Amino acid sequence: MHKKVEVLPDLAALVQRSLELTLAQMHNAIQARGLCTIALSGGSTPKPLYEAIAAQALPWEKVHVFWGDERYVPPDSPDSNQRMARQAWLDKVEIPAENIHPMPTNAADPTDAALQYETHLKEFFQLKSGEFPALDVNLLGMGDDGHTASLFPHTAALQICDRIVTVGNKDGQPRITFTLPTINQARCTIFLVSGANKQAALAQVFASVADDYTYPARFVQPQGELWWLLDRAAGQGLQLPEE
């Protein structure tokens, strides 16, 4: 694992740096394998990144978009991660409809929806039994409680290691989420973290000793590159790991 931490002056600089890094990874993937697979995160921080990507001239037919987690709401809900990404990016570019792979949220049981998405990923990535997909780019955020994707502190989803997708839980509300093994299989993982309210959790995530189940972002140790991009408000006072 190659781990890099950068503290940017402000949110605008964070977005610009994340754009540069994401585009570089997308181009590298297309050059190496003929396509790029990218998993999106929700929340407010990545929205300007998606808007910036939408302004790029990319070979959209070679880009396949997935989601790392999704609230269990209809696709047209204001709370939908898919809806946000479509409005900020996907509806603005000529990406083939079949290249967009949203998490289903229409099953009566979220467990069935998680299984549907897992089956879709197995088919797309042509996985054998027990294998996990290696996404080219996995974008993640982190909440002020240290959660990432829909892997919340001390929830059952943190212990699911034999599934690609599972059901997360936020205050009794179900969500669909990548499991930790799926997240950690990515070729490049990029955290985007902004705001002073993240300082306390970041201090624990970067601490040499802390409880992983209390701060789930600590579990993210991917096989490929790991980038933490922080704005100054989030990263102020953080004791960064030595290179």
Side-chain angles (χ1 to χ4, degrees), residues 73-92:
V73 296
D76 59 355
S77 168
D79 294 328
S80 168
N81 291 341
Q82 177 191 169
R83 179 176 184 264
M84 184 272 279
R86 285 185 181 274
Q87 291 182 340
W89 168 10
L90 301 174
D91 289 347
K92 297 179 179 180

Side-chain angles (χ1 to χ4, degrees), residues 115-171:
L115 182 58
Q116 288 178 31
Y117 204 58
E118 177 164 315
T119 299
H120 178 65
L121 290 168
K122 286 180 177 179
E123 293 173 350
F124 181 88
F125 287 94
Q126 300 180 335
L127 302 177
K128 298 176 182 178
S129 178
E131 291 183 337
F132 292 85
L135 286 120
D136 294 306
V137 184
N138 188 25
L139 299 176
L140 291 174
M142 190 199 75
D144 58 11
D145 60 354
H147 87 268
T148 191
S150 282
L151 300 170
F152 291 90
H154 301 289
T155 55
L158 294 174
Q159 300 187 47
I160 304 299
C161 296
D162 58 349
R163 296 287 302 274
I164 296 171
V165 183
T166 191
V167 179
N169 187 293
K170 169 64 172 174
D171 298 329

